[in-house]
Amino acid sequence: MTTNTKTETLKPSIVEKIVAWVRANVLLCIVLVVLLGVMIAMLRQAFSSGSEMQKFIRLTYAGLTDGSLLALIALGLVLVYKSTDVINFAHGEFMVIGGFVGYQLLVWLSPNMNAPLAVILAVVGMVIAAVLFGILLERFVLRPMIGEPVISVIMVTIGLSNVIAAIVGLVWGNNAQRLPIEALPNNLFNESGRFEIPFEGARRPLFLGHENLMLIAVVMLVTIALLIFFQRSKHGIAMRATADDQQAAMSMGISIRVVFAFAWSLAAITAALAGLMIGETSIGVSAQDIPVVGLRAFPVIILGGLDSITGAIVGGLIIGLVETYTGGYIDPSLKEIAPYILLLIVLMIRPYGLFGQEIIERV
Amino acid sequence: MVFSRFERPYEDNPAPRHALSVENVSLRFGGVKALSDVSLDVQPREIFAIIGPNGAGKTSLLNCICGLYHPQEGRILYGDVNLVQTPPHRLAHLGIARAFQNIELFTHMTVQDNLMLGRHIHMKKNILDALLYWGRGQREEIEHRRFVEHVIDLLEIQHIRKQLVGSLAYGLQKRVELGRALCINPGLILLDEPMAGMNVEEKKDIVRYVLDINEEWGVTIVLIEHDMGVVMDISDRVAVLDFGILIGLGTPDEVRNNPTVIQAYLGEEGG
């Protein structure tokens, strides 16, 4: 009997736990309530008529597509940060060079074979090129920087972005190029290449493109593979250890050079995939415009947490949705700044981002 | 399989125990001579202490052995491998583990994960095994976890197993670092001031662990330590460095009675 009462007093009830959590996270709760309100308002409007529902679904679909692309770009940044503590300012240019390599391969391959095979071969070639790129980068750019402060390496990536941009300009010129064939199949389920959903009260049926679905699927696949890799495989853990303490990682028998080459290769692969997918959109494969898309990934990684793969994905989707909802419901001109407003609010509550690792300091 | 507390779990091949011999090693940083013409040898299963005043070059010598510094002259042989030409990450594969002077733990991971990283070189699982977690990958993981559990028992850190290393007290962090070095299942452990900043109680514990590791596991131990009482008590042999020069080498008694050593080091302290 006595033991019973003892455990009861020690273990707080669920209600007490919730109250304690709310007290500890007052700001977060306020934001959550506001968000909930906004969502309810949006859903009420969506259910008010057929055309509103259509608009809501269209915006959500566009937001998820956009968000997936941002998430894929953010993934590359997170991978490098996670294993080397460096923020890669050349990531936009990684996308450019990856996109152009993919474009070139498609130009060579597509006249000689059917479209799906050409795309698969082009992607494989792109991945191989990205791995080579990562290895060369480690050998000639990063290895001389071992032991230097992280900020120096970050400066080097800024220089690198200019060098890559110049090389791309020399080889492929400065004009945007269109991919010779569609990299993402656009007639997956039917010939027209889109879902058509008629809505009552709407003037036209709702069109949803297949390629968007493919884009979301690609991002999900890449993410799941990376998550498993980082959680389970020996090399993923070695990368996490290297980011934490290089000297200790070495004394555990981990080769830092291999880890660096690996991290930058993975980043180059995700960047190349993202570059090719942007090439598919109205932007085209462009040395000027792809890095601009890359810049949009910075709020994503800060929102999600610099070192979290999950954070990159969730952050990417949130920012994609917030952008399209703001553009659709409030004002298209607010679209660009909405992510930053959100970012400010989140950082006030969680300075390390939504999923970022809190840094413990013992003083 | 259940291990007694001191029995070394030999699931993987234990690292061979070679003699370590430092031959005429000189290390310069620009004009500063950190080590000049140092020669010494460490026999297998020995507890070998390196002592000397601050700045005598003790840690530099350890860094040379680890391949972090490259001495301009001389060679360091472990068995028949010249460590001077070996990249730092190969050391663990040779069975040489190290605990650092300023703790170098993975502060963002739990104690258990830190120790599991010590098993890194023994892990075979590749990406495919990781994807198919059940089967080979899982069996391997269980084996490594068992080894880690054994080290946890040996060092008596069961209660902090799941805690983040960054949140632990200094003494416990030192102990975890020793544990991580042990998880390599090494033949030789280099300990850089394992007892610095500890109280008497904690020092006693570490001494006990070091002796256990040496006697029961048969691991050779090279340690740098400032506590003369401890050094003279547990070491088989002691080397004394002063300004990068080896001024004494021998059993604790020989070193204690060596006039050069008394003048340079012990004399100033003990009188």
Side-chain angles (χ1 to χ4, degrees), chain A residues 245-299:
Chain A
D245 190 323
Q246 295 187 4
Q247 221 176 28
M250 269 199 281
S251 79
M252 295 295 105
I254 296 164
S255 167
I256 292 189
R257 291 167 180 180
V258 172
V259 166
F260 278 13
F262 204 80
W264 288 85
S265 295
L266 273 182
I269 291 171
T270 57
L273 283 174
L276 195 67
M277 282 169 192
I278 298 171
E280 176 101 343
T281 65
S282 57
I283 295 171
V285 189
S286 154
Q288 269 78 46
D289 296 335
I290 288 182
V292 177
V293 184
L295 281 181
R296 283 174 55 206
F298 280 104

Side-chain angles (χ1 to χ4, degrees), chain B residues 57-102:
Chain B
K58 305 183 294 290
T59 301
S60 294
L61 181 59
L62 229 53
N63 281 340
C64 286
I65 297 172
C66 284
L68 291 174
Y69 290 166
H70 297 281
Q72 281 82 5
E73 287 158 41
R75 52 183 200 159
I76 300 169
L77 292 180
Y78 183 67
D80 44 12
V81 184
N82 188 354
L83 299 183
V84 174
Q85 285 149 5
T86 311
H89 70 267
R90 290 293 310 165
L91 267 284
H93 296 265
L94 293 173
I96 302 177
R98 175 174 187 181
F100 293 87
Q101 181 176 9
N102 310 311

Side-chain angles (χ1 to χ4, degrees), chain A residues 80 88 90-100 133-134 137 157 160-161 164 264-265 267-269 271-272 275 290:
Chain A
V80 166
N88 177 16
H91 199 71
E93 276 67 24
F94 280 26
M95 283 153 59
V96 173
I97 199 161
F100 268 107
F133 179 75
L137 195 70
T157 66
L160 194 67
S161 71
I164 297 175
W264 288 85
S265 295
I269 291 171
I290 288 182

